[in-house]
Amino acid sequence: MKHAVLINNAHIENFSVRHLGAYLRSRGFRVSIIHYESRKESVFEPMPVRALEMLADFCKEVDLVGITLLTTHLVPRCRQITRYLKDRITAPVIWGGPPVIADPVQFLDEADLVCAGEGEAVMEQLLNRVPFHQIPGLGYAAADGRARVNDLPPMLEVNDLPIPRVDLENGYVLTESGLVPMKDTVPDTLSTYSVLMVRGCPYQCAYCLNSRLRQVFEGKGPYVRKIEVGRVMEELVWAKTHIPHLRRIIIDDDDFFLNSEDRMARFLDRYMKEIGLPVFYIQANTRQITEKKLDILVNSGLDLRYLKIGLQSGSQRISKEIFHRPLDRQAYLKKLEMVMKRNIRVMIDVISDNPYDTLADKYAVLMFYLDILKRIPDPSIERPVKIYDHKLMYYPGTPLYEKVLKDGHIRADYVNQVLLKRSTLRLHEEDRDHDALMVALFNTAANRKPFHRTAHLLLRVLAVPPVFRAAVRYRLAKVLNRWI
């Protein structure tokens, strides 16, 4: 029986290895999944030599090794693993994932093979020894040394695929002390389980690789595909039954509210009857939020910790011209008010440290934050709304990457010098800037705990135009951020 090993450098419930593993097993192959779990900034740490040795030993007799590249930030780890394995095993190493799909030729410098589209059928045909030139969606180096990327096949019908459960039977957790079979010890970190009801994102934001992926798959079938409610529930029932430490669920659709009222109602009704666990978050775009859908959500009795709603920038100019996601300020505030009055806790995603922000844009953001604070119900639940701040980073293949490179805001070595060394998390000293100060003051004011009145007062003082200009010019944030 042909044997494939899938290596996962992200969280254990990573969708990529789940889908690939389930598909290949359904086709009669042996599949082993090795998790070297990394979260947040730990993804930049190299794998210890002892772990690499155990990995190479495990892969010595296999037929194919697949490495999933969830984000460009994982390139150093994937590169380290690939280079170590190449000298010690005979099986080819194939890379896949969004960055690879966005620019497959680039990654042929790293791996033996690359997957330029969805990976299920590509890996199946590789294991069946189909010649490279006959495998749709495969990237490889031809006999003449030139890179070849075969045309993509039609996109998969998601409801015909096997259910992508986390593989406890054939999964391993790699540590410095050994390869621990998950069938013997389910890791404590697997306390959250993620599912999808909708595969694919309908939006094309300039900073997101999804804008590139939609171009790649154009003409290959529906990009946004809905998964049958019964299949989602079957997976969740399995997870609740087999994962002993399971405490909560994430419904990880890019926009849960793309589901129709009927689908939402049917899913939530079954979820509460058969699962009933808290849902850590669901994500939404205000375009899809309606009173009726919110009522369905609330009336279901779901214990929802956060509804994540993207904002990215409170400046209409930045939203439209730079991020390619137009913002209707009044419509956004109206939808946010609809959510908060139902006591649904909100997490708002924003993107900061933008070189295209002018003083007017920064002021527009401040005023928008104040408008949100005005709409918090009184009385309200604890922490009714929180802003989660991300550093603006540029990913090859996106329209924004091309723009900042052309405009001289980044250098040609940006990927190696920045993307491969830090994430979007605003944890560094360099991140203690004006944008971070505005977010810190907002979150303190919104929490309505000690100092919330002081934070709100500071925001209102900063809203006085001469004060605001002076604060930005003289970098008041560097001083105040040390106290907030």
Side-chain angles (χ1 to χ4, degrees), residues 348-363:
I348 297 175
D349 285 321
V350 300
I351 301 176
S352 300
D353 194 20
N354 185 344
Y356 296 102
D357 270 341
T358 64
L359 187 67
D361 292 317
K362 290 182 180 294
Y363 188 73

Side-chain angles (χ1 to χ4, degrees), residues 277-297:
L277 291 171
V279 170
F280 182 48
Y281 68 76
I282 59 177
Q283 301 181 102
N285 186 300
T286 54
R287 299 181 208 177
Q288 306 298 334
I289 293 176
T290 66
E291 296 269 12
K292 179 64 173 175
K293 289 182 179 180
L294 287 173
D295 286 341
I296 292 170
L297 184 64

Side-chain angles (χ1 to χ4, degrees), residues 186-242:
V186 178
D188 292 343
T189 53
L190 192 55
S191 60
T192 301
Y193 194 86
S194 301
V195 292
L196 290 175
M197 291 188 67
V198 180
R199 182 164 163 175
C201 177
Y203 309 115
Q204 300 188 61
C205 305
Y207 50 80
C208 179
L209 268 179
N210 185 69
S211 57
R212 172 61 180 153
L213 300 189
R214 289 184 66 90
Q215 294 175 352
V216 170
F217 289 109
E218 187 174 4
K220 300 300 180 181
Y223 184 72
V224 177
R225 294 158 287 174
K226 293 181 179 178
I227 301 165
E228 293 171 357
V229 169
R231 292 171 56 84
V232 179
M233 287 307 306
E234 184 178 342
E235 181 177 356
L236 286 170
V237 169
W238 174 89
K240 185 177 179 181
T241 303
H242 290 86

Side-chain angles (χ1 to χ4, degrees), residues 2 4 16 29 35 91-92 122 143 178 199-200 219 225 277 297 317 348 350 367 389 414 443-444 447 458 462 474 482:
K2 298 291 177 58
S16 297
F29 300 109
H35 303 276
V122 171
R199 182 164 163 175
R225 294 158 287 174
L277 291 171
L297 184 64
R317 186 189 74 84
I348 297 175
V350 300
M367 298 309 292
D389 189 17
Y414 172 82
N443 285 335
T444 303
N447 191 23
L458 281 171
L462 286 167
Y474 295 110
R482 299 181 183 277

Side-chain angles (χ1 to χ4, degrees), residues 245-263:
H245 313 296
L246 190 61
R247 298 290 180 268
R248 62 188 184 183
I249 301 297
I250 292 174
I251 303 169
D252 215 11
D253 301 353
D254 289 284
D255 187 351
F256 178 74
F257 284 74
L258 283 171
N259 290 293
S260 66
E261 293 171 6
D262 177 66
R263 263 177 63 89

Side-chain angles (χ1 to χ4, degrees), residues 227-426:
I227 301 165
E228 293 171 357
V229 169
R231 292 171 56 84
V232 179
M233 287 307 306
E234 184 178 342
E235 181 177 356
L236 286 170
V237 169
W238 174 89
K240 185 177 179 181
T241 303
H242 290 86
I243 301 174
H245 313 296
L246 190 61
R247 298 290 180 268
R248 62 188 184 183
I249 301 297
I250 292 174
I251 303 169
D252 215 11
D253 301 353
D254 289 284
D255 187 351
F256 178 74
F257 284 74
L258 283 171
N259 290 293
S260 66
E261 293 171 6
D262 177 66
R263 263 177 63 89
M264 284 183 66
R266 285 189 290 115
F267 169 73
L268 290 169
D269 179 63
R270 289 194 59 181
Y271 183 90
M272 294 307 297
K273 290 176 180 176
E274 300 174 45
I275 309 300
L277 291 171
V279 170
F280 182 48
Y281 68 76
I282 59 177
Q283 301 181 102
N285 186 300
T286 54
R287 299 181 208 177
Q288 306 298 334
I289 293 176
T290 66
E291 296 269 12
K292 179 64 173 175
K293 289 182 179 180
L294 287 173
D295 286 341
I296 292 170
L297 184 64
V298 171
N299 293 337
S300 72
L302 182 71
D303 180 2
L304 175 63
R305 301 299 167 86
Y306 289 102
L307 177 60
K308 293 180 68 176
I309 303 178
L311 172 63
Q312 315 319 341
S313 175
S315 163
Q316 289 179 293
R317 186 189 74 84
I318 291 294
S319 297
K320 181 179 180 179
E321 296 179 14
I322 306 301
F323 290 164
H324 297 174
R325 47 175 295 142
L327 170 68
D328 182 329
R329 289 169 62 102
Q330 292 308 310
Y332 188 100
L333 291 168
K334 180 181 177 181
K335 297 292 181 75
L336 195 59
E337 200 166 9
M338 286 164 47
V339 173
M340 291 192 294
K341 77 177 184 181
R342 289 170 169 82
N343 285 333
I344 299 174
R345 190 170 283 110
V346 179
M347 182 181 292
I348 297 175
D349 285 321
V350 300
I351 301 176
S352 300
D353 194 20
N354 185 344
Y356 296 102
D357 270 341
T358 64
L359 187 67
D361 292 317
K362 290 182 180 294
Y363 188 73
V365 169
L366 168 59
M367 298 309 292
F368 197 61
Y369 289 173
L370 285 168
D371 281 340
I372 293 174
L373 289 172
K374 291 175 187 176
R375 285 163 171 78
I376 296 176
D378 191 14
S380 70
I381 56 176
E382 184 180 352
R383 294 185 183 275
V385 58
K386 179 180 180 179
I387 291 179
Y388 194 79
D389 189 17
H390 306 262
K391 177 181 175 62
L392 179 58
M393 302 190 82
Y394 314 105
Y395 297 90
T398 64
L400 190 53
Y401 177 84
E402 301 302 326
K403 179 175 176 58
V404 293
L405 191 62
K406 178 182 177 182
D407 293 347
H409 291 299
I410 60 172
R411 303 188 323 186
D413 62 354
Y414 172 82
V415 172
N416 287 328
Q417 295 302 317
V418 181
L419 275 191
L420 305 190
K421 294 182 178 180
R422 66 158 294 168
S423 73
T424 62
L425 297 174
R426 307 256 287 163

Side-chain angles (χ1 to χ4, degrees), residues 449-469:
K449 284 290 186 74
F451 306 112
H452 76 274
R453 289 187 177 86
T454 303
H456 204 157
L457 176 61
L458 281 171
L459 286 171
R460 292 201 302 270
V461 169
L462 286 167
V464 177
V467 176
F468 184 81
R469 289 194 295 270

